[in-house]
Amino acid sequence: MNTMNKTATLTATLAAALALSACQSTPSSPVIQRANSVYETTGIADTKVKAQQNAIDSAQKTCGRKQVIIVEDTVKYNGILDERTGRMVGQVGAVVGSIFGTGSPDLSRSDDYEYTISFRCQ
């Protein structure tokens, strides 16, 4: 009976942990409202695509059921190396790592790319 209670408790704990982790969402970027119903937000991530997706997700969350109309957008790279050199080092590191079995060096940071958009909800 004691083993059965421990198993039931463990199962309930795991089920609760899975349920709570399913509720987590991707972090959104703050949105600033400007004049004439224009909003602005910046997505930040380790890749350009993720930064763009973070900014667009925040815009869609702000607009709700309305459509996001991007008025202006800019991408800024903040990496330790310039963007092209960083890619080459990553590719060379991946090849060397696969040959020697050591893995590739990760030079990216979670704030390498900033994607700033101005948008309207329509």
Side-chain angles (χ1 to χ4, degrees):
M1 182 83 176
N2 193 15
T3 305
M4 189 122 131
N5 285 340
K6 287 182 182 178
T7 304
T9 303
L10 180 61
T11 303
T13 304
L14 288 173
L18 286 173
L20 289 175
S21 66
C23 294
Q24 289 181 336
S25 62
T26 56
S28 62
S29 304
V31 176
I32 300 169
Q33 185 170 2
R34 303 286 185 195
N36 299 327
S37 298
V38 174
Y39 298 89
E40 185 177 291
T41 188
T42 301
I44 298 173
D46 58 341
T47 68
K48 187 186 308 185
V49 172
K50 287 180 187 176
Q52 289 171 332
Q53 191 61 52
N54 288 342
I56 291 170
D57 287 346
S58 292
Q60 288 174 335
K61 187 175 181 181
T62 299
C63 290
R65 294 180 181 237
K66 295 181 178 180
Q67 184 174 352
V68 175
I69 306 296
I70 297 176
V71 178
E72 184 179 344
D73 65 336
T74 58
V75 176
K76 182 179 175 187
Y77 178 71
N78 301 314
I80 55 175
L81 303 170
D82 70 53
E83 191 173 8
R84 190 174 188 185
T85 305
R87 275 195 219 134
M88 286 191 306
V89 169
Q91 290 171 349
V92 169
V95 170
V96 171
S98 66
I99 292 171
F100 294 110
T102 58
S104 61
D106 188 11
L107 299 176
S108 66
R109 298 182 337 216
S110 62
D111 63 349
D112 276 354
Y113 287 92
E114 292 180 19
Y115 182 64
T116 302
I117 58 173
S118 297
F119 64 95
R120 288 195 164 112
C121 300
Q122 185 173 341

